[in-house]
């Protein structure tokens, strides 16, 4: 009985040491819901030295140039112009959830318009390897501010979804997150693959949302 008690106390002490090792002094601000977008835009606009992002999805609208995702992309480009080191990692993946046949084992490339806009602006932007999801939604500013939560950079996330996010001012946490992001494996051949797809044909949301337009186009094409 005494031996078990000693073992338990040692284990408890080890857990306490481990827990303390991952605790940081930090200021935490709730930016859930409609507070997320203005907080992220302000943080990017005020960045002085570096911005590191891992984002599952970044939407870049062609028909809505002033969309909030486009505004955040624009803020990253402006940060790059004023000398901030900007790096973005995006997700591509095999759709493990919805596959049904061997033919379904194909890579789903998201955020391609955002990728090209950022790359054309000289920003270091990458896709991860397709075998794993980069499901993170995290922004690290100047190695001291971490914005993390459930929000993707999409209009549906900003307008329709229930999302929770926090802004954390902690240099220690920021360094830990940056080290973790370095473990993401990058697809070095993604540009070759995207170039092989050829130019894309944009489809505007107005077309998708208007049930009268698609049948009219199909009818004119077929007859």
């Amino acid at each position: 009985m005494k031996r078990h008690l000693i073992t338990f106390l040692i284990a408890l002490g080890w857990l306490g040491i481990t827990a303390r090792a991952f605790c940081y002094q930090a200021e935490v601000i709730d930016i859930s819901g409609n507070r997320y977008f203005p907080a992220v835009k302000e943080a990017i606009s005020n960045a002085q030295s570096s911005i590191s992002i891992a984002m599952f999805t970044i939407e870049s609208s062609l028909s809505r140039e002033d969309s909030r995702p486009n505004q955040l992309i624009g803020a990253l480009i402006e940060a790059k112009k004023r000398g901030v080191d900007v790096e973005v990692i995006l997700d591509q993946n095999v759709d493990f959830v919805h596959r049904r046949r061997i033919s379904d084992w194909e890579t789903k490339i998201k955020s391609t318009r955002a990728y090209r806009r950022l790359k054309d602006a000289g920003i270091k932007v990458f896709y991860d390897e397709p075998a794993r999801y980069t499901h993170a939604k995290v922004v690290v500013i100047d190695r001291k501010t971490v914005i993390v939560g459930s929000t993707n950079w999409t209009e549906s996330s900003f307008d329709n979804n229930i999302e929770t996010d926090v802004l954390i001012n902690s240099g220690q946490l920021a360094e830990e997150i940056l080290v973790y992001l370095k473990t993401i494996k990058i697809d070095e051949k993604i540009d070759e693959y995207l170039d092989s797809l050829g130019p894309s044909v944009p489809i505007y949301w107005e077309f998708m949302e208007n049930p009268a337009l698609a049948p009219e186009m199909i009818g004119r094409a077929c007859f």
Side-chain angles (χ1 to χ4, degrees), residues 13-179:
W14 182 85
L15 287 172
I17 293 171
T18 304
R20 285 195 297 274
F22 291 96
C23 290
Y24 313 109
Q25 289 292 111
E27 176 191 25
V28 181
I29 303 169
D30 178 18
I31 57 169
S32 299
N34 59 15
R35 288 172 287 187
Y36 177 86
F37 169 74
V40 174
K41 187 175 181 181
E42 180 181 6
I44 291 173
S45 298
N46 292 334
Q48 298 178 359
S49 58
S50 64
I51 302 171
S52 298
I53 297 173
M55 192 63 57
F56 185 64
T57 305
I58 299 181
E59 180 181 81
S60 180
S61 174
L62 290 173
S63 60
R64 300 171 182 173
E65 293 184 3
D66 63 343
S67 71
R68 280 166 290 181
N70 277 350
Q71 290 183 50
L72 294 182
I73 293 170
L76 291 177
I77 293 172
E78 288 302 314
K80 168 66 178 176
K81 289 179 179 178
R82 65 175 184 269
V84 177
D85 182 29
V86 182
E87 181 171 312
V88 179
I89 301 175
L90 300 169
D91 175 74
Q92 63 163 323
N93 60 268
V94 171
D95 191 349
F96 295 106
V97 176
H98 298 104
R99 73 183 191 276
R100 294 291 182 271
R101 303 174 300 277
I102 294 298
S103 60
D104 292 331
W105 284 89
E106 61 181 52
T107 300
K108 181 180 180 183
I109 306 292
K110 306 183 295 295
S111 313
T112 53
R113 285 196 296 270
Y115 175 85
R116 293 186 188 280
R117 278 194 65 191
L118 294 169
K119 193 171 185 66
D120 288 346
I123 288 173
K124 294 180 289 185
V125 56
F126 309 99
Y127 275 104
D128 67 350
E129 288 189 339
R132 297 184 69 182
Y133 286 97
T134 296
H135 203 246
K137 298 97 177 177
V138 62
V139 181
V140 182
I141 307 286
D142 293 338
R143 309 184 77 92
K144 62 183 181 182
T145 298
V146 178
I147 299 170
V148 64
S150 63
T151 301
N152 284 299
W153 287 10
T154 67
E155 286 289 11
S156 60
S157 290
F158 295 147
D159 285 336
N160 303 322
N161 300 353
I162 301 298
E163 308 283 4
T164 55
D165 302 270
V166 290
L167 185 152
I168 305 170
N169 289 313
S170 169
Q172 289 177 297
L173 176 62
E175 292 297 335
E176 292 283 351
I177 296 294
L178 290 172
V179 169

